[in-house]
Structure formats: C-alpha cells, structure tokens
Amino acid sequence: MANTNCISQLQNFTPKKPNRFLTNLYLLTFITFLCTLFYHLGLWRHYPSTTTISAAADSTLCLPNTNNSAATATATIPSFTKLDFAAHHLLPDPPRTAARGPHLPPCEPYFSEYTPCEDQKRSLKFPRGRLVYRERHCPAPEEILRCRIPAPHGYRLPPRWPSSRDWAWYANVPHKELTVEKKNQNWVRFEGNRFRFPGGGTMFPRGANAYIDDIGKLINLRDGSIRTAIDTGCGVASFGAYLLSRDILTVSFAPRDTHEGQVQFALERGVPALIGILASIRLPYPSRAFDMAHCSRCLIPWGQHDGIYLNEVDRVLRPGGYWILSGPPVNYQKHWRGWERTRDSLKDEQDTIEDVAKSLCWKKLVQKDDLAIWQKPTNHIHCQIKRKIFKSRPFCQAQDPDMAWYTKLDTCLTPLPEANDIKEVSGGKLSKWPERLTAIPPRIRSESLEGITAEVFKENTELWKKRVAYYKTLDHQLQERGRYRNMLDMNSYLGGFAAALVGDPVWVMNIVPVEAEINTLGVIYERGLIGTYHNWCEAMSTYPRTYDFIHGDSVFSLYQNRCDIVEILLEMDRILRPQGGVILRDDVDVLMKVKSIADEMQWDARITDHEEGPYQRQKIFVAVKHYWTAPPP
C-alpha cells in the first residue's frame, strides 16, 4: 500500500510534456559529433601525399617497418611544393589560321589584268577555226587562283560620269597599242597621264554623235521605241557611249584579241561592255532581247557558214527590231580601193548577206551612203508560208530560244511566238521608254513564267524601291549621287534593284544565274534594262576592276551546295574597284561565313539588320573594298 502511494507521488512529480530543450540539445550534440568525425576522416583521406627530402629517405618508403626513426620521420614530412592550382576544364585555343579562315594573299603584280576565262595562254590550246579559241575557256579547279588580283601601281579612281566618257587615267589601263594602230581613226589618244576618247571610229570619222544622227534620220531613235541595243565588235564602245544621251542602253562586246584593252577602255569610261565573240556558241542573252543590233566594220563574216552569225542576231532581236551595218561590203563601190579588196569579192559578200537576210525574212529598209538597215518581221506568219513554198532555212524544233549558256549555235531559224493576225506583234507589244520600265512585261502578261503574275511584278517593283532607299542609309557612297557608275546585280530576278536606281547616273548589269529556278532575263530586257546569264561557279567575262558596286540577293544561298564560297568572293574582289561597295542580303548564317572571308580579303565589312527590323532571319551585309595596288615595279 505504501509502495503504491510512493509511485503515485512520483508520477505527480513527472512532467506531463517531454522537455524539448533537452531533446534538441542532445540532437545538436550528436550532429556536431558526427560532423567533426567525418571532417577528420576527410582530412585523413585527402591528406597530401608525402614526399621525401632526400634520396636516402626514399628507400625507406619501400622497406618493411624498421627501427630507423630518422628515416621514418623524413619519409612522413608532407610537402606542398607540387600542388597544381591551374584550371583543367578549358579547351585549348584553336590554331591562328583556323580561326581566321582561308589565307588569301595578294597575287603577283603581273596578274593585274587577269581574266580567268579569257586567258590568252590557255586560249591557244583550242582550235583556231571559227575563232573558237577566243571564246570562254575557264581554268580547271586545280588551276584556279586563290589570291587577290592587285590594281596596277598608280591606279586612281576614274573621273565621274559624264567626264569619264571622254577621258581615263593611263595608269588604270596602261596600253598604248590602240593609240598607234587606230591613230587615224580617232578611237583613243594618249595625252600626258591620261587617254582621251574623241568619239571617232573606223566608219564614223566625224565622230559617234554625227554617225548616230545619220542613223536617226533613217529610223526613229527619239520616240522611246528603241531602248536596248547590242554592239558587236564594239572597239572602245563610243557608239554605246553616245547612245546613252538618247536614253538607249547598249551592251557592247568585243573579244580579248590583239586590240589590247577594247572592252577594258569601255568599262573605264563607264559604258556597259563584256568580253565576248560570235564564234560557235550563243551570245549569253535571251531571245527577243534587243531593239537594235549594230556592226560598224566589226569584221564578222556574216555571210559565211550558212549565215549562222546573222541567224544568232535574229534570235536576240525583238520582233520589229533593226540590224544596222556599216563598213565592208556596204558602199563598196566607193571604198573598195581603201579596203584593199576587189570589187567582185565585195559584191559577192554583199549578195551573200542579202540572201541570208531574206532567208531570215528580214526586210531591207534602206541603204544610204555607208549605212544599211534591215528590219526583222513583227511575226512569222508570212515567213511560215514562204517556208512551205521555198523550203529554205527551216524553223528550229523543240529548242528553248532563251537557253544561251554554252549552247551551240544553229542555222535553223528561231520561231517567234504564235500570232493570230499579220499586224500582231509576236510575244506582245512593248511599251515605249520610259513607260516600259513599270509596264507589265509581255512575258508576264502571257503567263509564260510560272508563278509570276502581274500582281507579283507590281509588288516586287514597290519592294525594291523601299529596299534601295534603305540601302542608301547604309552606304553613304551609294547615297552620294555620281559616286558609283558601273553596277552589278548578281541575282536580279525581275530587275527590281536596277529599276529602283534608274533615276541615278548609273547602269546595272543584271545577272540571271543559270541555276535560277525561273529564267527571268527576258523580263528584264522587256523592261528596258540589260543583263546577261552567268554561272557564279565560274569567272565573269570581264576585266578586273570593272564594277564600282556589287549587289546580291540570296546569291550565296543559291550556290552554297554548288561551289566554294571563297571562289565566288575572290571573283567579286577581282571585278570590284578599290573603294568599291558591296551589299548582300541573305540568311544570317550564310552572311557570317561571308564576313569571315571578307575580313581575310581586307574588306571593311559589317552585318546589319533587315529593313523590316532585327527579328528577320535575313540580314544585310555591307562592305567596302580597301584601296590597295601592286608595289612599284
């Protein structure tokens, strides 16, 4: 009983709730003990390895336990002299050459006028017949230069247009051959440190202006019906230079031959020109491109080889277009002695040309003094009837008349689009200049180009007006009227870039790549603009330092899986003048690659936002080529 009372009393003294303070204290003590324990275990585990102070002590580490306390002490002394605090998570820097991209040094000075596909040494390997050796013959991949073409020592920027029409710096085209060979014909004169271009020619001793006035008395050159022209065997392109004041845009061409620098002089003057020749392949232009074709003693054998060369002129002439011939054999009765030919041979030559022209269904409009002019029919209704009767030159069958890149010449007649009436113009009538620039081109009106409608054309025209206005805020040289003269558009589509600049004192060579999905070069000519086909995996048929400004829209995206981007940029560098400008628009990833190569070529380059803002994936690349020349000889 007493025990029961004691227990009950003890229970009364026992707290009803547990003492939380003591419990937390015990727990904290236990945790502290564990932390201390593991800390010392960690120290023991990661304690620095011991090193020896002497070679003698080294041996004791390999021996069983001994009583040599001195050696043991020596063996267990820690050393911190070999601790490595260097970071080991960084990748090594890439080699300097890999970081900078391809090495593109300057070429040797003797390459200053190098034109890869018209190289005279390479051309001698090809047949002389029909002058095939003077056509395009591009280097093999292993022959392509991987260096930058220098300007000749003393090179200077050309004078601005229209002064450039009349003179050029000698240092830019250091060739005096024409000043001697054509001295009596007033092509070009050498005066001090510059060349003068009096405007003369073999068949226009009174000057190109007076010669063109004579043509204007025979056909109308002022009403805008003639806008595009082609001059075969152009000399220094005085004919094309003086047609510009009449709003007629001329593509002049001549081969790179013994008349050194013909096309180079033309380009230095600010006149459109290309290296080219009528030999065995088509001219790089679409059918129905030119309103007028011209030959002033161009030495092309028009009547030979079944009239194959006149046949090609017919292909590129629009319906109703004109062919103008001066020089042998025209007016041979007066000039045969001066031409050192017999009257009979010249008469035979003229008769042959007349026969070829008839086989093409051309009509001879007039022959007056030294000029003869033929006109192509506006359609082939009568011509088809004649073919059934006389069985002369047949029409080409199943052939694309606009295909003209390494396409062989043929003697068959290129048929015009079908016409329903004798007065109808095949393919559609063209508006007169300047309305032609913005009028819907016949090739688009006829819906012959898949996916390109009149609405697409109008939208594209307005789009490029906005884009060119934005470009002028990015390149102050483009904004400066007259700073640029010769311009190149590497991927022209409908020619909107050139059309937006038509009010500036410039001309634009519009390129339609042969790899383009749709062949639109015919539309460009129907707008009254000029251009050519080209494959940018090859060099262009022009001299170095041809263009003051180069533009390209998505051209590198088009070629990124076709050829080396470095070679395209080197070609751009070759044909761009020192201090010339470049604007490219393309995908940002593509332009980053372009810029890395442009930096190596010593262009002053940057990438900026699209005109519609920074959220567009397409960006704009703006660059200026540095001024540099070959060292003094």
Side-chain angles (χ1 to χ4, degrees), residues 334-401:
K334 178 181 178 181
H335 297 293
W336 66 275
R337 288 188 179 88
W339 291 337
E340 298 180 353
R341 298 266 304 273
T342 65
R343 291 172 63 98
D344 290 342
S345 67
L346 287 164
K347 182 181 183 303
D348 290 343
E349 183 179 345
Q350 177 146 354
D351 290 344
T352 304
I353 291 175
E354 301 278 7
D355 291 340
V356 173
K358 289 178 182 177
S359 74
L360 297 171
C361 301
W362 290 3
K363 176 184 178 182
K364 189 172 185 180
L365 286 183
V366 63
Q367 178 170 328
K368 184 177 181 181
D369 298 328
D370 296 339
L371 286 168
I373 302 178
W374 286 262
Q375 185 175 23
K376 179 177 176 176
T378 55
N379 59 59
H380 274 162
I381 292 178
H382 279 166
C383 201
Q384 290 169 343
I385 296 172
K386 289 180 180 179
R387 288 296 178 279
K388 293 178 182 178
I389 298 174
F390 297 106
K391 304 295 182 183
S392 59
R393 188 181 302 271
F395 284 105
C396 301
Q397 302 294 327
Q399 188 182 71
D400 183 357

Side-chain angles (χ1 to χ4, degrees), residues 57 130 165 183 206 271 298 319 382 408 448 490 527 552 594:
R130 288 178 54 182
R165 185 190 68 178
K183 181 179 180 179
R206 294 182 294 121
V271 179
C298 57
H382 279 166
K408 289 293 183 182
S448 61
M490 298 176 69
R527 300 188 72 175
V594 170

Side-chain angles (χ1 to χ4, degrees), residues 119-190:
D119 181 61
Q120 292 172 311
K121 292 182 179 179
R122 184 181 301 105
S123 69
L124 295 177
K125 302 176 183 178
F126 294 88
R128 295 293 185 101
R130 288 178 54 182
L131 302 180
V132 169
Y133 74 108
R134 285 183 177 162
E135 293 180 325
R136 281 177 60 88
H137 301 291
C138 296
E142 62 274 10
E143 297 177 304
I144 294 175
L145 292 180
R146 301 278 289 196
C147 55
R148 294 175 289 130
I149 303 297
H153 180 70
Y155 178 87
R156 301 171 67 175
L157 292 182
R160 297 191 178 189
W161 182 267
S163 297
S164 63
R165 185 190 68 178
D166 301 324
W167 67 273
W169 297 112
Y170 167 74
N172 293 10
V173 192
H175 298 291
K176 298 181 182 179
E177 292 86 348
L178 283 176
T179 65
V180 177
E181 188 171 345
K182 302 295 182 180
K183 181 179 180 179
N184 297 327
Q185 297 170 17
N186 265 343
W187 281 27
V188 57
R189 295 174 182 170
F190 177 65

Side-chain angles (χ1 to χ4, degrees), residues 12 37 96 102 129 154 158 166 299 307 309 347 388 393 415 457-458 466 473 510 516 534 536 541 570 576 607:
N12 291 335
L37 176 63
R96 188 166 181 262
D166 301 324
L299 304 181
Y309 303 130
K347 182 181 183 303
K388 293 178 182 178
R393 188 181 302 271
F457 174 78
K458 291 178 182 178
K466 296 176 182 177
T473 67
N510 293 281
H534 188 59
W536 285 111
S541 290
L570 279 174
L576 184 65
I607 296 175

Side-chain angles (χ1 to χ4, degrees), residues 291-305:
D291 303 317
M292 180 172 70
H294 173 259
C295 164
S296 174
R297 200 173 185 180
C298 57
L299 304 181
I300 296 174
W302 297 114
Q304 296 180 19
H305 312 295

